[in-house]
Amino acid sequence: MTDPAEPLLTELHDLALEAARRAGALLRDGRPDDLAVARTKSSPIDVVTEMDIAAEKLITGFLAEHRPQDGFLGEEGASSPGTSGIRWVIDPLDGTVNYLYGLPTWAVSIAAERDGETVVGVVEAPMRGETYHAVLGRGAHAGDRPLAVRPAPPFDQALLGTGFGYLKIRRERQAEVVRQLIPRVRDIRRGGSAAVDLCDVAAGRLDAYYERGLNPWDLAAGALVAREAGALTGGRPGEPESGELTVAASPGLFGPLQELLEELGAWHD
């Protein structure tokens, strides 16, 4: 018997892919080559902010045209509850500092929630030439290639990803956690985009990823991609991922890492 939800999930997935593709092209093609030293605006940050807002307007406009009853939650202010039970969670430009400096690790992140559960996730990384996408229960892919987490290594051979917040006191605390953690693992990477880091766990490019201070739009799509590739995700022990702490790892690594992060106090400033 066909699940009546299947056509809906396919529709949401296809719309998210197209919206992310369009926004990614806008950001890639609209970025001035000399953005980091731009003089045409009061500051380069203004240019990034304008691109960020333009990308979110493109995404919400496209989705609202096709599904006018859906709700939105976006980093740049899009917020409406909708009436359909579907809510789009959007980060139009995850990795803004990378974008500002011309580094390639930035992405468009779009997730669809149905009655509060994430059912579709798309992370478009234009400068990588990759689109990561997942539908609940259907696995995760980069383009047409299925994604699968790397088998868990011994803890001291694990390659971790993380990120740092903008507030000085939080960054100091996060640096202290890294200082205590790095002798116990292979190494730690800091990519600059939570959405891409989560997808790198899905693709086997990282064994695990953790970060404090993420917003729903930072993690919604990437966390689904990671889970559908076989990763476990969560926050503090027994809790879901949240702004307090987000952890994603292959199953054999997830528990030990989560426990160590709890011990190190990675969940508080």
Side-chain angles (χ1 to χ4, degrees):
M1 182 176 177
T2 302
D3 183 347
E6 288 301 301
L8 171 62
L9 297 188
T10 298
E11 177 191 2
L12 299 177
H13 172 258
D14 292 350
L15 287 172
L17 278 174
E18 180 61 19
R21 185 195 67 78
R22 293 185 182 195
L26 170 73
L27 291 164
R28 180 194 63 223
D29 299 341
R31 181 189 182 279
D33 291 336
D34 62 345
L35 177 56
V37 292
R39 294 290 181 265
T40 55
K41 301 287 182 179
S42 58
S43 81
I45 299 298
D46 292 340
V47 182
V48 175
T49 301
E50 288 179 11
M51 296 300 294
D52 210 340
I53 293 170
E56 182 164 298
K57 286 182 177 178
L58 184 157
I59 294 166
T60 56
F62 175 81
L63 295 174
E65 178 184 347
H66 289 83
R67 294 188 54 85
Q69 305 306 314
D70 292 354
F72 291 100
L73 176 65
E75 182 184 24
E76 292 303 321
S79 181
S80 61
T83 58
S84 65
I86 302 297
R87 182 175 75 159
W88 298 93
V89 183
I90 301 161
D91 191 340
L93 177 52
D94 187 57
T96 52
V97 175
N98 286 346
Y99 184 79
L100 172 64
Y101 276 79
L103 292 167
T105 305
W106 55 268
V108 178
S109 175
I110 302 176
E113 296 176 342
R114 180 179 59 189
D115 300 325
E117 179 182 29
T118 304
V119 293
V120 166
V122 172
V123 176
E124 172 82 8
M127 305 311 292
R128 282 190 171 196
E130 292 183 321
T131 303
Y132 313 93
H133 54 107
V135 176
L136 183 66
R138 297 189 196 172
H141 296 79
D144 296 329
R145 176 172 59 90
L147 296 177
V149 296
R150 181 181 292 270
F155 197 88
D156 64 359
Q157 292 299 304
L159 181 64
L160 274 54
T162 193
F164 303 110
Y166 291 108
L167 299 176
K168 179 174 181 290
I169 188 170
R170 176 163 294 174
R171 294 166 65 84
E172 289 174 346
R173 178 63 191 151
Q174 289 171 323
E176 175 60 22
V177 172
V178 166
R179 186 189 70 79
Q180 296 182 67
L181 183 59
I182 200 166
R184 310 189 196 193
V185 297
R186 180 190 294 272
D187 209 343
I188 296 177
R189 298 285 184 265
R190 195 275 198 259
S193 164
V196 174
D197 285 340
L198 287 161
C199 292
D200 278 346
V201 173
R205 294 169 177 161
L206 292 171
D207 294 305
Y209 162 77
Y210 77 93
E211 187 166 349
R212 167 166 166 74
L214 298 183
N215 294 295
W217 47 81
D218 296 316
L219 63 89
L224 179 66
V225 173
R227 286 193 297 273
E228 287 294 316
L232 298 179
T233 67
R236 297 182 65 188
E239 297 182 10
E241 62 270 18
S242 70
E244 198 170 46
L245 183 67
T246 295
V247 183
S250 53
L253 196 59
F254 179 81
L257 176 60
Q258 193 182 45
E259 291 172 10
L260 180 55
L261 292 171
E262 178 74 9
E263 175 189 325
L264 296 178
W267 49 274
H268 66 81
D269 296 336

